[in-house]
Amino acid sequence: FAEPICNFGKVASGQVVKHDFLFTNTGNAVLEIRDVRASCGCTTASNWQRAVQPGQTSSIAIVFNSANFTGPVSKSVTVSSTATNQPLAVLHLNANVWKPIDVNPQYVYFSLSSDIGTNEVRVVRIVNNLDTNMDLATPEVVNSAFRAEIKTVRPGKEFEVHISTVPPLPTGTVQGAVNIKTSAANMPTITISVIAIVQAPVMVMPSQLNLPPGPMPNLTRLGVTIRNNSATNVVVSEPALNLQGAAVQLQEIQAGRIYNLLVTFPQGFEIPQGTRGELTLKTTHPQYAQVKVPVVQMPRVQPAPVVQPRPNLPASNA
């Protein structure tokens, strides 16, 4: 190879660049290029000459896609051939990928309990790498569960977006977005995705106990975890089952925060027909004074009906 290293220099993020690596067959036999393999999917090799005559010069075109990269990037390409002195040749690509407008991070996450107001603030940094200054408009927040405020670090060049939640938030996954209009022609709008994972103050896992069909062939033990996500400690007490023969034990794993229940069902256990199985417990959390966990047993598998063969009837005389 005339030069096994290519330095693309400064490359804008998302730009696709190409380089032809020239090589010469300096041997006295036909050179076969068997394979050209890049170190990752961002780098690809286009069609190349498979057989190169002695003394002939050819090339291998390598394409690098800079999307999803930022900062210094190094990639390699391995060329496999029939060259006796160098059956494996490694080519190198270097680039310094930059973003005209850098938004970091582009996704913001919160994890909190629905009964706790939080003062947590997520900061998104916006840096203008263009030669000209950039102005930002007032943020437009898609979901009212979030708020956003822009603070200028360096006028026209660097900004911070402070994002926070607006309680109360519903339990589950709350999604939103912050849209900011800019004066930059190549990025007229900046969008920041916001997600909040809101947990219930007291979580019971699993929310239902499922049993195999009865009578159960073996003794069965099932576990239930109670997790306290609220600001204050919670006491769990008085676990009970309305199913005769079954037993439940309470264990405190982390004081005021995590409890385990061990529920035991004996061999031969079966929920009586018409009975609704239920595990109950009490907590000191005002919203969860009593917690109920249904106990459900799968129905018995009914045997397939036996089909009796039809008797052979005597043939009738016409």
Side-chain angles (χ1 to χ4, degrees):
F1 282 91
E3 180 56 62
I5 300 175
C6 171
N7 191 346
F8 289 113
K10 192 175 181 181
V11 176
S13 179
Q15 183 180 356
V16 178
V17 290
K18 176 185 175 183
H19 179 73
D20 292 330
F21 284 95
L22 299 178
F23 68 94
T24 303
N25 178 5
T26 58
N28 54 12
V30 176
L31 174 69
E32 295 181 10
I33 305 298
R34 292 174 171 172
D35 191 21
V36 179
R37 184 163 299 183
S39 57
C40 82
C42 65
T43 307
T44 57
S46 57
N47 291 334
W48 61 88
Q49 188 175 349
R50 302 285 174 169
V52 182
Q53 298 297 323
Q56 183 181 356
T57 296
S58 187
S59 65
I60 298 176
I62 304 297
V63 178
F64 168 65
N65 187 347
S66 64
N68 302 322
F69 288 97
T70 183
V73 178
S74 295
K75 298 297 175 182
S76 63
V77 177
T78 302
V79 180
S80 174
S81 73
T82 57
T84 55
N85 63 333
Q86 196 178 13
L88 290 178
V90 180
L91 308 176
H92 297 276
L93 301 172
N94 299 321
N96 187 13
V97 181
W98 70 290
K99 294 183 178 181
I101 299 174
D102 191 14
V103 181
N104 187 31
Q106 293 184 323
Y107 297 87
V108 168
Y109 296 92
F110 291 90
S111 180
L112 63 158
S113 174
S114 61
D115 68 340
I116 302 178
T118 177
N119 295 322
E120 291 184 4
V121 176
R122 301 289 186 264
V123 178
V124 177
R125 187 167 172 259
I126 299 175
V127 178
N128 173 24
N129 295 314
L130 300 170
D131 295 332
T132 57
N133 287 347
M134 178 180 67
D135 296 324
L136 300 182
T138 302
E140 299 176 0
V141 183
V142 173
N143 193 329
S144 60
F146 307 99
R147 66 165 64 95
E149 179 185 4
I150 294 179
K151 296 184 181 294
T152 301
V153 179
R154 289 186 296 134
K157 291 297 182 182
E158 187 176 346
F159 308 86
E160 288 182 350
V161 184
H162 291 217
I163 302 174
S164 57
T165 59
V166 181
L169 298 179
T171 302
T173 301
V174 183
Q175 298 183 352
V178 177
N179 297 321
I180 305 172
K181 293 182 179 179
T182 80
S183 61
N186 58 343
M187 188 178 285
T189 303
I190 295 172
T191 299
I192 304 167
S193 299
V194 187
I195 299 176
I197 307 299
V198 186
Q199 298 177 333
V202 175
M203 294 179 61
V204 179
M205 301 168 290
S207 59
Q208 176 177 294
L209 292 180
N210 297 311
L211 300 177
M216 292 165 57
N218 302 305
L219 181 144
T220 302
R221 292 186 176 92
L222 299 177
V224 177
T225 300
I226 300 96
R227 182 180 296 273
N228 172 28
N229 299 313
S230 64
T232 58
N233 286 349
V234 165
V235 176
V236 176
S237 62
E238 300 183 36
L241 272 168
N242 67 337
L243 300 171
Q244 187 175 1
V248 57
Q249 291 180 312
L250 173 65
Q251 183 181 11
E252 187 176 42
I253 305 301
Q254 183 179 344
R257 311 306 299 180
I258 302 176
Y259 295 82
N260 274 354
L261 295 177
L262 180 62
V263 188
T264 304
F265 300 92
Q267 183 181 9
F269 177 81
E270 185 173 21
I271 298 178
Q273 189 173 3
T275 300
R276 186 175 181 178
E278 195 171 67
L279 167 65
T280 61
L281 54 94
K282 293 182 179 181
T283 83
T284 54
H285 193 285
Q287 296 181 21
Y288 297 85
Q290 186 179 52
V291 177
K292 298 180 180 181
V293 180
V295 182
V296 178
Q297 191 166 38
M298 297 177 61
R300 294 186 186 182
V301 178
Q302 299 295 332
V306 178
V307 179
Q308 298 294 336
R310 297 178 61 183
N312 295 325
L313 300 177
S316 61
N317 295 325

